[in-house]
Amino acid sequence: MKITTAQSIYIALSSLLFPPLFPATLVTVVAFSMPPPSPTPALAPNLRIELFFKNPDELRERVRFLSEKYGITAFNLVNKSNQDKAMMKDWIRNIRDEIPESDVSAHYSLKFNKSRKKDGAFGLFSEFVRDVTADSGAGGATPPRKNEVLLVTGSGPKGTLDAVAALRRLRREREGFPKNPAPTVAASSGCVAVAYNPFFPAERDAEVERDRLREKIRTRQVGKVYLQFGT
């Protein structure tokens, strides 16, 4: 189990990162870093836990322990193989059985979710967003529970569908283009988050990363940015 600190920082992008592009855009930036040696309940609102586990019983045990001992109710579920997507809803359900008000971020790596079908990779992503965010705000929990999808392209060469292309397609689908009598994703679906790495040593790589973040936010599908804090 990896423990990471997440501090939500609300920033006006117009005044900090992207002056010419987003004059009225406000997003949540979450910084991941290593936690202090001994977390206390007072820190719980600023902590997210990236969960690693071998089976559902271990998952339940860990979230129960973190909630009862430290008051932590925000968790990230990683996507490290092409088998994880099929299990993600069950994992979220396991967490919610223990902590109904939990805030869950389900990672989605395009690298591990490819398809041989035409538009198949986007269809898998679109369906995942719908399924994961379907019960956000449901269940009567106070505060309302939240699900989000953290979209990443994945390491290595980028395929025809990377995070930028997927978000553009998602916007078009939510806006009804092309016309679809049964759209996969509703316009009111929950949050999609993205990642940003500011630590590329080469300036060219850093500029590409900044440009990609701008393109992602331009789609207006991004509600949160996970900022890598440290190396």
Side-chain angles (χ1 to χ4, degrees), residues 8 11 69 71 82 103 132 178 188 198 207 229:
S8 294
I11 62 171
K69 188 167 181 64
N82 57 9
D103 179 339
V132 166
S188 60
E207 181 61 29
F229 188 73

Side-chain angles (χ1 to χ4, degrees), residues 59-138:
L59 170 60
R60 288 173 177 268
E61 178 184 350
R62 292 184 176 186
V63 298
R64 185 165 57 245
F65 168 80
L66 291 164
S67 175
E68 292 176 355
K69 188 167 181 64
Y70 299 116
I72 295 169
T73 61
F75 305 100
N76 282 51
L77 292 166
V78 300
N79 179 193
K80 295 295 185 182
S81 79
N82 57 9
Q83 305 297 317
D84 292 342
K85 175 181 178 291
M87 300 300 299
M88 200 66 74
K89 286 196 295 182
D90 289 337
W91 293 341
I92 294 173
R93 190 176 302 111
N94 292 152
I95 294 173
R96 287 275 159 69
D97 286 345
E98 300 296 331
I99 311 170
E101 72 280 11
S102 58
D103 179 339
V104 181
S105 178
H107 297 199
Y108 189 89
S109 172
L110 293 166
K111 174 182 178 179
F112 294 120
N113 294 281
K114 298 178 181 178
S115 174
R116 296 176 182 271
K117 299 178 181 179
K118 182 181 179 180
D119 292 334
F122 174 74
L124 292 174
F125 167 62
S126 178
E127 179 183 47
F128 185 81
V129 173
R130 179 199 64 196
D131 290 346
V132 166
T133 62
D135 69 342
S136 291

Side-chain angles (χ1 to χ4, degrees), residues 199-217:
F199 295 103
F200 284 104
E203 177 56 31
R204 174 56 183 163
D205 292 337
E207 181 61 29
V208 169
E209 182 75 352
R210 288 192 292 270
D211 287 344
R212 285 178 55 79
L213 180 58
R214 292 186 182 102
E215 292 301 316
K216 292 171 186 177
I217 295 175

